[in-house]
Amino acid sequence: MVSRLRITAPIRSDQTLASFAGQLASMNHQPSTEDFCKDMGTTLRKVALGEDDAIARMAEISGNDPDTVALSAFRYASDGSLSFRGQRLTQQSRSARSVRFCARCLCEDIAAAVTAGARHPEHHVYGRPHWLCSQIRTCVRHGVALSAVDARRGDHQYDFAGALRPFLGNLGELDAAAAPARANGLELYLSERFYSQGSAYLDGLGYSVAARFCEVIGSVAKFGPRPLLKGIGEDRWHLGGGEGYAIASRGPDGILPFLSTLKDKDSRDPRDGPHIDWGILHDWLEETRDPELSPLLELARDFIASNYAIAKGRKILGRPAAERKMHSVTSAAIEHGVHAKVLRNQLVQAGVIEDRPEVPENLMLFPAAPNEDLLRRLGRGITAQEARERIDCDRSIFFPFVEAGILAPVVDVDTGYPLYDVEDLERFLDCLVEKAVVYDAVPEGMTGVVEARRRLSCTHAEVANLILDRRLSRVGVLAGRRGYPALLVDPDEIGPMIRKTFEGVVPNDIIEDFGIAHAALSELLDTRLPTTLEMHPSKKRPQRVVERGVYDAFKSRYVSLRDLARIDGVTSKSKLASLRRRGIGHDPTFPAGAYVYQRDRLD
């Protein structure tokens, strides 16, 4: 067996090992690369698939460094992929049915061989590794579309030299016929990635995953979620690849905003879900079985869970969701048993979602976890009428409880009807009867809360608060009865607790205390005696009063004829005559008939 060929050549840094085997075969006048490899003690398949013994043999017969030869080898994996310098090409990203090449690059190979004095310069054309990537359709160096010839079947598909041999004589014509084409960003990136790293994010993905992802996401961006795949063609895939690279090369900062535009599309389509919005992108992510797809899947799953109403346990791109992150109004309505229209109104007025009537309920989303308690309460919610029936009271009792804050709706709504949490109502009833004694009949000294309120002219809220605050020593409930009206209380115990006095002085008290006629006092109010409004402690209506400090100051300055007469123990008529004899008259600024004197003029 030959240990080293007489005619050989150095292997180039951008040459595939299978192409190098073909070059050696041609230089040594062997027309069949397969036969040549067999003569050298190996096979073309072993060389093309990068088996160690084949690499060692090619290094031995060519006189090249084994490590350098190994760098040019594609390595075969059990899943059918080929790796070149760590860059893995799956079957989706490998042009196995055709041999692709740039005629101008091959013409330059021949020209360089001529310059170097080669006797057969056509033997020095060679295949580049990036020509095997199906997402590269353009020669990035010359700006022309790659040419292609059909690959033969079996191991002959790896024979670059054999496939090109019939066309070497008319490479000039093929070069002239090649269509001008500008390489897009994806092609430039993929061509360089065999030799150096580029985009930080895409470099973290497998070679084929990055290539196909850019192509698919770009096609969705260019032609919509569901383009007719048979009608896309190579030109459109080329456009999609360039568009996709512009999006994906920025990593999550480019991908996530694009996915958001798909989610927020202006569509009245009642259907929703990433399979609708993303189209072929979702299909590709879901159907592709490649471990190098994991970073993209995690990014996509997290986006879907955070932007779609996905229930816990529902599969997201093949994996069950660990938790629900988002609810739609529809999903929340179904899960908690509330009508979607009612729930939407409640959530709008609770500030959870915006009021956007044009958006259907299934597309109105909101975070699930922070609103779970609210949703549970709304799910237990009943109308005011149902709530009144539950605690056995009419409107005159129930709504004062609401106004006093003893009972509250789940959401304080301005439009629509409020809902009351059943658990709140039950808790209210439990607190009322917690310390109550059960009686078969009304005991002496006690009466029902409704009758007690009537006697005391107070509100039901006042009575209920006394019971809830545990301020009453006697509270009962009739056996077999339930609800607020079944409670028994002692009115004599409640009376002192709810009877309050005014902070100010009422007009009737001023008339009696100061000794002035009602008509005269009416003219003084809000002039010399400013008034305010206070709630009457028993009648529960606004009452006009004079602040006590204001009234005391008024009395320290003025005194009535009645009080002066009482001090001297005489009648008002006699006191009036005495004052006139002394030349002291009443204050003329007071209304007619009001005999009021300034104290400092009496001395």
Side-chain angles (χ1 to χ4, degrees):
M1 183 181 297
V2 177
S3 60
R4 177 163 181 177
L5 294 172
R6 186 175 61 85
I7 303 174
T8 185
I11 190 169
R12 297 173 176 84
S13 61
D14 61 343
Q15 182 175 11
T16 67
L17 186 57
S19 167
F20 182 59
Q23 179 185 354
L24 292 178
S26 298
M27 293 174 67
N28 286 276
H29 309 291
Q30 174 55 271
S32 170
T33 306
E34 172 63 24
D35 291 342
F36 170 77
C37 290
K38 289 179 179 179
D39 291 342
M40 297 298 108
T42 185
T43 65
L44 177 57
R45 179 179 179 82
K46 288 184 177 182
V47 172
L49 301 185
E51 294 189 12
D52 291 337
D53 58 345
I55 293 173
R57 183 60 179 152
M58 294 303 296
E60 180 183 7
I61 62 173
S62 66
N64 283 281
D65 178 65
D67 292 336
T68 303
V69 174
L71 284 175
S72 295
F74 276 90
R75 300 280 188 165
Y76 179 77
S78 59
D79 60 0
S81 64
L82 292 175
S83 295
F84 184 84
R85 298 180 182 176
Q87 308 303 323
R88 179 170 162 269
L89 270 72
T90 64
Q91 294 178 353
Q92 280 188 327
S93 295
R94 195 168 72 244
S95 58
R97 296 184 178 181
S98 62
V99 175
R100 302 195 307 165
F101 61 95
C102 170
R104 193 168 302 176
C105 286
L106 299 186
C107 288
E108 289 183 351
D109 294 342
I110 293 174
V114 170
T115 301
R119 293 180 59 187
H120 300 281
E122 69 276 7
H123 294 166
H124 294 267
V125 298
Y126 64 96
R128 277 69 167 174
H130 55 269
W131 288 347
L132 272 71
C133 178
S134 57
Q135 279 75 35
I136 298 176
R137 301 174 176 86
T138 306
C139 177
V140 299
R141 181 178 178 184
H142 297 114
V144 295
L146 294 180
S147 303
V149 296
D150 290 338
R152 292 180 293 174
R153 294 182 179 275
D155 293 348
H156 295 290
Q157 65 180 298
Y158 308 118
D159 189 359
F160 180 83
L164 267 293
R165 191 171 289 115
F167 303 95
L168 292 178
N170 57 350
L171 284 177
E173 296 176 9
L174 292 174
D175 179 24
R182 183 177 181 180
N184 61 35
L186 177 61
E187 291 173 318
L188 292 169
Y189 167 71
L190 293 175
S191 297
E192 288 298 322
R193 181 163 165 173
F194 279 127
Y195 313 105
S196 62
Q197 301 293 75
S199 166
Y201 182 77
L202 289 178
D203 285 348
L205 304 176
Y207 185 91
S208 292
V209 168
R212 187 60 178 160
F213 174 62
C214 289
E215 211 169 46
V216 174
I217 195 173
S219 295
V220 171
K222 275 284 188 182
F223 311 115
R226 292 285 177 190
L228 295 175
L229 297 184
K230 291 184 179 179
I232 287 185
E234 291 297 309
D235 290 342
R236 287 197 167 192
W237 281 123
H238 179 265
L239 291 173
E243 184 75 15
Y245 178 77
I247 295 170
S249 61
R250 296 169 54 204
D253 291 341
I255 298 169
L256 297 180
F258 173 71
L259 295 180
S260 295
T261 64
L262 298 179
K263 174 70 181 65
D264 299 332
K265 65 185 185 305
D266 184 16
S267 172
R268 296 300 180 94
D269 190 340
R271 301 172 298 168
D272 68 310
H275 62 291
I276 300 295
D277 297 338
W278 299 8
I280 61 172
L281 174 59
H282 183 272
D283 295 346
W284 177 74
L285 289 170
E286 190 169 50
E287 296 168 4
T288 302
R289 300 292 180 264
D290 192 326
E292 293 181 332
L293 191 65
S294 295
L296 276 179
L297 287 175
E298 291 303 319
L299 185 70
R301 285 175 182 137
D302 185 66
F303 180 88
I304 291 172
S306 301
N307 291 274
Y308 292 88
I310 304 297
K312 179 180 179 180
R314 178 180 167 186
K315 284 191 174 182
I316 305 177
L317 299 176
R319 179 187 296 174
E323 61 178 340
R324 178 189 282 279
K325 291 186 177 181
M326 300 296 291
H327 256 308
S328 69
V329 173
T330 301
S331 67
I334 294 172
E335 188 170 307
H336 293 277
V338 186
H339 191 283
K341 298 293 184 185
V342 174
L343 181 59
R344 179 174 189 154
N345 180 61
Q346 298 281 332
L347 294 176
V348 167
Q349 298 195 63
V352 175
I353 60 176
E354 297 179 2
D355 187 11
R356 299 174 60 191
E358 75 281 2
V359 181
E361 280 81 14
N362 65 317
L363 298 182
M364 292 293 291
L365 301 181
F366 58 93
N371 297 292
E372 187 61 28
D373 182 62
L374 173 63
L375 292 174
R376 288 198 187 99
R377 297 189 68 206
L378 290 171
R380 298 189 297 262
I382 57 177
T383 64
Q385 180 177 346
E386 293 169 324
R388 295 201 307 271
E389 293 173 357
R390 197 170 191 94
I391 64 174
D392 191 22
C393 64
D394 58 24
R395 296 172 61 90
S396 64
I397 299 175
F398 182 82
F399 287 110
F401 282 168
V402 175
E403 292 173 4
I406 297 173
L407 296 176
V410 178
V411 177
D412 191 8
V413 298
D414 295 325
T415 60
Y417 54 84
L419 295 176
Y420 295 86
D421 187 350
V422 169
E423 288 192 1
D424 289 349
L425 300 174
E426 292 298 321
R427 193 178 302 112
F428 169 67
L429 290 178
D430 291 342
C431 288
L432 288 176
V433 302
E434 184 178 359
K435 302 293 184 179
V437 179
V438 180
Y439 295 103
D440 293 327
V442 179
E444 184 179 353
M446 300 187 77
T447 185
V449 288
V450 176
E451 175 62 20
R453 186 215 69 82
R454 187 188 65 77
R455 288 187 194 178
L456 298 168
S457 296
C458 61
T459 66
H460 284 295
E462 287 178 312
V463 176
N465 276 324
L466 290 174
I467 298 173
L468 295 172
D469 293 342
R470 306 287 184 265
R471 295 175 61 189
L472 301 181
S473 61
R474 299 186 68 193
V475 178
V477 62
L478 290 173
R481 293 279 304 278
R482 188 174 185 275
Y484 174 74
L487 293 171
L488 303 173
V489 293
D490 183 354
D492 293 337
E493 182 183 16
I494 294 176
M497 297 182 181
I498 62 174
R499 291 194 183 102
K500 300 177 182 178
T501 59
F502 283 115
E503 294 294 328
V505 186
V506 298
N508 286 342
D509 290 345
I510 294 176
I511 292 171
E512 182 178 348
D513 178 68
F514 192 72
I516 191 171
H518 184 278
L521 179 63
S522 296
E523 294 188 35
L524 295 179
L525 295 178
D526 292 327
T527 54
R528 292 179 184 271
L529 292 172
T531 63
T532 59
L533 291 178
E534 287 187 25
M535 189 62 66
H536 196 286
S538 60
K539 296 180 180 179
K540 303 305 178 186
R541 63 188 181 192
Q543 172 69 55
R544 198 177 184 192
V545 299
V546 176
E547 291 184 8
R548 191 163 297 278
V550 173
Y551 180 58
D552 290 343
F554 177 82
K555 286 183 66 177
S556 67
R557 185 176 180 185
Y558 299 103
V559 62
S560 66
L561 177 62
R562 185 205 68 178
D563 288 348
L564 290 173
R566 285 181 177 179
I567 293 171
D568 293 343
V570 298
T571 65
S572 295
K573 187 175 181 180
S574 298
K575 186 63 178 176
L576 176 61
S578 173
L579 290 171
R580 285 177 176 174
R581 284 193 299 270
R582 293 168 56 192
I584 301 174
H586 64 274
D587 192 329
T589 61
F590 279 78
Y595 290 90
V596 179
Y597 297 85
Q598 296 182 25
R599 290 183 180 275
D600 57 1
R601 297 186 61 186
L602 296 174
D603 297 334

